[in-house]
Amino acid sequence: MPPSPSIRPLGSAPPLRDRGDACPGALRLHAAADGLLARVRVPAGDLTVRQATALADAAEQLGDGFLSLTSRGNVELRGLPDGCAGRLAGLLGDAGLLPSARHERIRNILASPLAGLDRHTPADVRWWARRLDALLCASESATALSGRFLFVLDDGRGDVAALGGDVSLVAERGGAGEGPDGGGGTALLRVGDDPAALRIAGPDAPRAALAAAEAFLTAAEASGTGAWRVRELPAEHALTARDVAEALRATGITATHVPDGARTFTATAGPTPGVVEGADGRHTLSVLAPLGRLSAAQWRLLTATAARHGSGELRLTPWRGVVLPGLPAAEAAERLAALSAAGLITDPSSPWHRLGACTGRPGCAKSRTDVRADLAQAVAAGARVPGGSTAPAPGAPVYWSGCERRCGHPHGTWVDVLATADGYQVSVVRPDASPATQETRPQ
């Protein structure tokens, strides 16, 4: 699949983009080594049972029988044959997964997966996500956004705020709600890496996020660089909170500039696999897909669990997991055991927990090796990195890549296992250091 942004040395010049991005979508398919690939955007990771069933049908009837979860909480279908685009669009459209054909690649919205579900949830940002998605799909100007532009909606706990959003909303206490207008309170709006923030009213958050994205498009056009993301803007055209405040005023949104309001967030591992207790007595199941890949049978089991025992919804997470809300407390443990028996990660002690890999061969022609097979061999030997050695940076996620693009790599500090012409190279990647200063050792 097309790569995640590469690890760029600190202080390096932003790229010059002379073309649109090549990110695949549900209608724009990507030609991979194992057939066509479709990436279905799932804003906030929210799926109904009907939508989840349609995805399983597409995987079985048109694809290779598997569904891949991405680091943005979306779904990829692989192994699609030539000539399937119309049928795929029909399956997805009938389920409500394609509300606007012109906007389908820009519906990149992450939201805190446990918002409104656990005992300590500070806010529910789900209304923000639904409203923002509707605004995006109704906006003519938004069609100019790149398929990589990312909106992040954090309920205040900081789980998704550290995942590199171009426009981020972080709820303050009482900042989002379950009511028809998103409740009261306030939110902090950030753009890119600007340390400042804007404090806005909670009900204004979705409109403010769209206005910030439109301000980016204006800055990108003025820069002449074809930037796809806020961080790619050159310094003389950088988008700041003050710039966005002016755009918000033009739309009637009041914003207060907070110079030090954007507290620093550290990348997390997401919801812990297992049972999550809710404040209302209902429980939530949190599971992970090994290497982000689920068979159609595993997916259908998740869907059936949501339909028969839960609230009828599934939430996909950017850590390649699935959250199933609304189970009775008496049924949660039994349902979790069934998912474990089906091969899903349901316990943080699993050797597969916090292990990831790109597609590798044979699915990706750019990969130097079958990284997933090599990783499975290492896990069978009780290791997380090649050669049976202990992984550096204990507790950090470990990610295996078949080439320097490192598609889908984690955020924050992580262990990079990179296939090279001379074997695997293991490095510790830290967000505050350039690759030249990373700890590296060959394997």
Side-chain angles (χ1 to χ4, degrees):
M1 64 181 173
S4 302
S6 62
I7 304 170
R8 206 169 73 218
L10 295 178
S12 63
L16 294 176
R17 306 291 191 185
D18 58 0
R19 59 175 176 79
D21 74 275
C23 279
L27 301 178
R28 179 201 283 183
L29 307 184
H30 169 70
D34 57 349
L36 297 178
L37 177 153
R39 183 176 298 158
V40 184
R41 266 59 174 193
V42 184
D46 286 349
L47 287 172
T48 64
V49 166
R50 180 187 178 198
Q51 291 170 335
T53 300
L55 288 167
D57 290 344
E60 288 184 325
Q61 296 173 22
L62 302 175
D64 61 4
F66 289 82
L67 301 95
S68 298
L69 306 185
T70 77
S71 60
R72 290 188 169 188
N74 296 318
V75 176
E76 287 184 348
L77 304 172
R78 302 188 67 94
L80 299 168
D82 292 338
C84 75
R87 189 176 174 194
L88 175 63
L91 281 171
L92 300 179
D94 289 346
L97 288 165
L98 292 175
S100 173
R102 297 184 64 216
H103 297 81
E104 62 102 2
R105 293 191 317 116
I106 67 166
R107 301 168 67 222
N108 298 303
I109 303 174
L110 288 183
S112 299
L114 293 181
L117 298 180
D118 58 0
R119 289 184 181 274
H120 306 291
T121 187
D124 188 342
V125 299
R126 315 312 288 189
W127 180 86
W128 286 358
R130 292 190 295 271
R131 181 61 180 149
L132 174 57
D133 186 36
L135 290 171
L136 280 172
C137 290
S139 169
E140 178 67 25
S141 61
T143 59
L145 289 171
S146 159
R148 300 187 184 191
F149 195 89
L150 178 63
F151 296 91
V152 168
L153 313 181
D154 193 291
D155 66 3
R157 76 184 71 211
D159 57 348
V160 295
L163 298 185
D166 292 284
V167 175
S168 300
L169 292 169
V170 180
E172 297 187 287
R173 185 170 297 277
E178 300 176 4
D181 64 351
T186 57
L188 292 177
L189 184 151
R190 293 184 60 180
V191 286
D193 294 323
D194 187 358
L198 299 176
R199 180 168 286 115
I200 57 176
D204 289 334
R207 281 199 306 133
L210 177 59
E214 291 171 339
F216 159 76
L217 290 174
T218 300
E221 182 178 7
S223 75
T225 63
W228 296 341
R229 307 197 62 189
V230 170
R231 293 168 184 82
E232 294 180 356
L233 292 169
E236 60 272 23
H237 292 280
L239 185 66
T240 67
R242 290 195 183 278
D243 299 325
V244 174
E246 294 182 11
L248 296 187
R249 278 193 290 273
T251 62
I253 297 175
T254 300
T256 302
H257 189 265
V258 185
D260 57 351
R263 83 175 199 253
T264 300
F265 295 98
T266 302
T268 72
T272 301
V275 176
V276 180
E277 296 184 3
D280 59 357
R282 310 291 286 185
H283 286 190
T284 294
L285 301 185
S286 172
V287 300
L288 296 168
L291 302 186
R293 192 102 157 124
L294 294 169
S295 67
Q298 290 172 318
W299 184 269
R300 289 192 187 279
L301 176 60
L302 287 163
T303 304
T305 302
R308 298 171 188 168
H309 306 279
S311 62
E313 66 173 309
L314 302 85
R315 296 185 183 181
L316 309 183
T317 83
W319 299 276
R320 298 178 173 87
V322 182
V323 167
L324 304 179
L327 280 77
E331 298 181 18
E334 181 181 359
R335 293 301 101 209
L336 188 71
L339 296 176
S340 177
L344 284 87
I345 300 171
T346 61
D347 190 301
S349 66
S350 166
W352 292 97
H353 187 222
R354 309 205 76 185
L355 271 180
C358 70
T359 296
R361 287 191 176 273
C364 178
K366 294 183 181 298
S367 178
R368 296 186 176 95
T369 185
D370 187 342
V371 291
R372 291 175 176 244
D374 293 345
L375 172 53
Q377 186 176 9
V379 171
R384 297 173 66 84
V385 297
S389 58
T390 301
V398 178
Y399 199 80
W400 293 49
S401 302
C403 75
E404 286 77 9
R405 300 192 311 166
R406 299 174 173 89
C407 296
H409 67 75
H411 289 263
T413 297
W414 52 285
V415 179
D416 176 32
V417 181
L418 175 66
T420 72
D422 299 318
Y424 282 102
Q425 174 180 287
V426 179
S427 305
V428 179
V429 177
R430 296 182 175 86
D432 57 349
S434 67
T437 63
Q438 308 291 0
E439 173 190 341
T440 303
R441 67 175 189 252
Q443 297 290 333

